[in-house]
Amino acid sequence: MRLIRRRREVEAEIAGEAAAAAAVTAPPADPDLEAAAFFDVDNTMMRGASIYHFARGLATRGMFTTSDLFKFAVGQAVFRLRGNENPEHIAVARETALAFVAGAKVDDVVRLGEEIYDEVMADRIWGGTRALAQSHLDAGQRVWLVTATPVELARVIAQRLGLTGALGTVAETRDGIYTGRLVGDLLHGPAKAEAVRALARREGLDLTRCTAYSDSANDLPMLSLVGHAMAINPDTELREHAKQVGWPIKDFRTGRKATLTALPIAAGVGAVAGGVAAGIALRRHYRPHL
């Protein structure tokens, strides 16, 4: 178990460094270069899981069946309940994340991400969370998304929202095509904290002046790394922790929206959710053309 734990720590460090290196940065007009904000995506910035919505967009294009979509939503819920502590589920998560991109062209994933964001995701952005991000931008601070979703899709979301950039799971590419291997591991849990730490070193950020936002206790390593943290639409564990340590809590869910959020449960590992269904779809659609 010690060897497994150490291997996961090393992979988290590698994933964090890779995510920081892949982040797109754009300085604000009147910069406060030492402070920044970091936002989780699934159920924090967006209702539901971004990769689930991406898979739905693929489904509307006839790239896989509703049965595939259902299976992958169930798998996502299982990971939410048990994947955080079970090495076997972590391994499955990694494999399905690889399935998401293996053999696909980077340009195709980016193009589809842009189309599907505009069609499916844009109206699922939480207005309250978006306003919080804008308040940091207005203060001259840079704002990054931090998510297990593949970095290409994360960048699309960040660009559409006018944010600085995104830290996401980095998949290895060769000649513009995904090899089916990850650089490090999924950007999940401790790997998110490693990515933020690596970005802070690169950008000269003072983490005590930075702020992080998330809905999930899986992100406690990231939330605990910065000087200011806020729980957004929190799960039970994060809500209790936030109360204990005095972090502010914002819940933008009301009535039907709260129910909709719970249906495609955000695993904290968006790549898990989209791995099976979206991977099947992309391979079916693009491999004959590679």
Side-chain angles (χ1 to χ4, degrees):
M1 287 298 294
R2 289 183 180 177
L3 289 176
I4 293 175
R5 187 179 303 110
R6 179 52 188 159
R7 184 178 65 189
R8 288 176 59 186
E9 289 174 353
V10 170
E11 289 176 340
E13 291 173 4
I14 294 171
E17 291 286 350
V24 178
T25 62
D30 186 16
D32 178 357
L33 296 178
E34 290 188 343
F38 302 95
F39 285 80
D40 172 54
V41 174
D42 297 347
N43 284 339
T44 302
M45 182 63 73
M46 177 185 298
R47 295 200 306 274
S50 52
I51 202 69
Y52 177 87
H53 298 315
F54 182 69
R56 281 186 59 200
L58 296 179
T60 62
R61 287 160 171 77
M63 296 171 72
F64 60 92
T65 68
T66 54
S67 175
D68 291 326
L69 190 64
F70 175 77
K71 289 176 183 177
F72 119 63
V74 170
Q76 181 185 10
V78 169
F79 190 92
R80 174 71 171 194
L81 294 173
R82 295 186 289 179
N84 191 40
E85 298 178 356
N86 190 319
E88 182 179 347
H89 288 106
I90 293 290
V92 171
R94 184 185 178 93
E95 291 173 5
T96 55
L98 295 175
F100 172 75
V101 294
K105 295 179 181 179
V106 176
D107 290 346
D108 290 334
V109 172
V110 172
R111 177 180 56 79
L112 285 167
E114 291 171 343
E115 293 177 3
I116 293 170
Y117 177 87
D118 294 338
E119 294 171 5
V120 180
M121 301 182 195
D123 63 354
R124 288 174 169 79
I125 298 297
W126 294 108
T129 310
R130 179 67 187 87
L132 289 169
Q134 187 60 48
S135 70
H136 287 281
L137 294 173
D138 291 344
Q141 299 176 12
R142 288 169 288 177
V143 178
W144 280 276
L145 300 179
V146 187
T147 176
T149 293
V151 67
E152 289 79 12
L153 182 55
R155 283 174 181 163
V156 168
I157 299 170
Q159 289 166 0
R160 289 296 197 265
L161 294 175
L163 308 181
T164 306
L167 301 165
T169 296
V170 178
E172 182 184 81
T173 64
R174 183 175 299 145
D175 299 324
I177 297 173
Y178 294 105
T179 65
R181 292 184 291 272
L182 294 182
V183 179
D185 208 342
L186 300 168
L187 201 70
H188 171 62
K192 286 189 176 183
E194 292 294 340
V196 169
R197 188 179 285 112
L199 187 68
R201 288 195 299 267
R202 194 186 79 181
E203 298 292 325
L205 299 173
D206 179 355
L207 287 174
T208 65
R209 297 190 58 225
C210 292
T211 310
Y213 301 83
S214 178
D215 74 298
S216 173
N218 289 330
D219 287 340
L220 281 172
M222 177 179 74
L223 293 168
S224 302
L225 181 65
V226 298
H228 309 279
M230 182 179 290
I232 304 291
N233 307 325
D235 60 25
T236 301
E237 184 178 350
L238 179 58
R239 183 180 293 275
E240 290 305 312
H241 183 87
K243 289 179 179 178
Q244 291 174 9
V245 300
W247 290 343
I249 298 172
K250 294 283 187 182
D251 200 326
F252 302 117
R253 300 168 295 185
T254 57
R256 184 169 176 269
K257 287 184 178 180
T259 303
L260 289 173
T261 300
L263 289 177
I265 303 171
V269 178
V272 179
V276 177
I280 291 170
L282 289 170
R283 287 201 305 275
R284 285 177 182 169
H285 192 71
Y286 287 114
R287 276 193 171 169
H289 306 292
L290 297 178

